[in-house]
């Protein structure tokens, strides 16, 4: 309907239409049901989080390249990870892998307070700028450095989301979950992973596998060597 998927829209109306199609065709159709999450993904302009040269592809059903050789996750993957986290207003969330800041913006829009780690300073700077533009910077703190072992000083967290691929679930992240807390992390070899959901109930951790996925590597002490 006037939206050319290959070349995509750039003007605001057409971007808004592409955003609506993303909600319907990529998220609802694949089973994302949380209305608050769908509202957050309708409210946050994803085009702000992709390089200006590929802005017209912002709502494609795909991960897209960003600076420093990294990527912004596919919209469905952001939605699925957020749904698994079961974020509620006021939750304290640890994100590992700020990247563009898009996932952090969705979490903040849902009323969470976010601590996000990014190992590339240029990405952290860009993300903070975008979050400030959207009035979300007061809900998100970004730290530059290796976040792969979490941050015990700010623990426990109601949710931990790792947006880079790890060879296994780092033990410190389990320990930093609050009672009832949830950890979502892509686990597997470098070229393909599966989302793993870990839920803590007291001193019991249960684990289940969810969708297959492909993420850039988590590089650091709890991830892959550089
Ligand atoms: N959540 C992001 C997707 C980021 S891609 C978004 O919404 O755009 C994964 C990011 O994790 C990359 O930017 C990469 O630099 C970062 N990363 C990888 N290993 C890391 C580590 N050990 N600590 C912090 N960030 C890391």
């Amino acid at each position: 309907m006037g939206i050319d998927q290959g070349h995509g829209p750039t003007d605001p109306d057409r971007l808004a239409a592409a955003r609506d199609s993303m909600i319907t065709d990529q998220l609802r159709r694949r089973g994302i049901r949380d209305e608050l999450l769908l509202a957050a993904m309708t409210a946050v302009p994803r085009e702000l989080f992709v390089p200006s040269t590929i802005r017209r592809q912002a709502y494609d059903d795909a991960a897209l390249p960003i600076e420093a050789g990294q990527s912004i996750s596919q919209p469905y993957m952001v939605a699925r990870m957020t749904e698994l986290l079961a974020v509620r207003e006021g939750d304290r969330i640890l994100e590992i892998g700020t990247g563009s800041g898009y996932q952090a913006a969705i979490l903040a829009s849902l009323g969470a307070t976010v601590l996000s780690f990014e190992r590339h300073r240029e990405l952290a700077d860009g993300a903070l700028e975008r979050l400030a533009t959207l009035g979300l910077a007061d809900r998100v703190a970004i730290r530059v450095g290796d976040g792969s072992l979490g941050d015990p000083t700010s623990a426990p967290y109601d949710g931990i989301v790792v947006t880079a691929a790890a060879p296994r679930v780092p033990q410190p992240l389990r320990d930093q979950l609050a009672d009832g807390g949830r950890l979502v992390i892509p686990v597997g070899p470098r070229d393909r992973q599966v989302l793993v959901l870990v839920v803590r109930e007291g001193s019991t951790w249960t684990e289940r596998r969810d969708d297959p996925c492909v993420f850039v590597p988590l590089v650091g002490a709890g991830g892959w060597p550089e």
Side-chain angles (χ1 to χ4, degrees):
M1 281 244 309
I3 294 168
D4 179 331
Q5 289 296 338
H7 302 286
T10 48
D11 64 87
D13 287 352
R14 300 185 85 194
L15 281 165
R19 192 180 309 136
D20 288 345
S21 309
M22 168 194 81
I23 299 287
T24 307
D25 301 339
Q26 300 174 36
L27 306 187
R28 285 190 193 278
R29 186 167 295 169
R30 293 193 187 123
I32 303 294
R33 290 284 174 266
D34 180 340
E35 291 300 330
L36 291 175
L37 169 59
L38 291 164
M41 292 190 68
T42 304
V44 174
R46 185 171 160 93
E47 64 271 22
L48 214 69
F49 292 83
V50 306
S52 54
T53 49
I54 54 167
R55 186 146 295 163
R56 63 184 63 221
Q57 288 158 259
Y59 295 97
D60 282 8
D61 188 13
L64 295 171
I66 57 173
E67 295 77 8
Q70 304 303 314
S71 60
I72 175 173
S73 307
Q74 177 195 24
Y76 172 76
M77 202 42 69
V78 174
R80 186 62 189 150
M81 292 178 98
T82 309
E83 194 169 63
L84 289 171
L85 271 182
V87 182
R88 277 178 299 209
E89 174 132 31
D91 276 359
R92 299 178 64 239
I93 305 288
L94 172 68
E95 179 190 32
I96 303 164
T98 317
S100 68
Y102 181 70
Q103 172 79 71
I106 299 299
L107 295 169
S109 297
L110 287 167
T113 302
V114 184
L115 170 61
S116 186
F117 277 85
E118 173 52 57
R119 57 192 291 272
H120 292 288
R121 179 170 295 279
E122 64 172 305
L123 292 178
D125 290 347
L128 190 61
E129 214 170 285
R130 296 180 185 107
L131 291 162
T133 302
L134 297 176
L136 296 171
D138 55 337
R139 296 236 181 99
V140 184
I142 300 180
R143 304 235 177 102
V144 177
D146 178 9
S148 62
L149 299 179
D151 181 0
T153 61
S154 302
Y157 305 99
D158 301 304
I160 301 177
V161 59
V162 184
T163 62
R168 66 196 71 82
V169 180
Q171 181 60 37
L173 300 186
R174 297 182 209 264
D175 297 335
Q176 290 168 31
L177 284 176
D179 193 3
R182 303 160 77 86
L183 160 66
V184 181
I185 179 171
V187 177
R190 274 185 178 260
D191 58 338
R192 70 199 141 78
Q193 304 91 34
V194 61
L195 285 184
V196 172
L197 170 67
V198 181
V199 181
R200 178 177 191 172
E201 302 289 349
S203 49
T204 308
W205 286 258
T206 54
E207 207 167 296
R208 76 170 171 80
R209 295 153 69 87
D210 199 74
D211 286 337
C213 53
V214 180
F215 278 80
V216 296
L218 180 72
V219 177
W224 298 95
E226 204 149 335

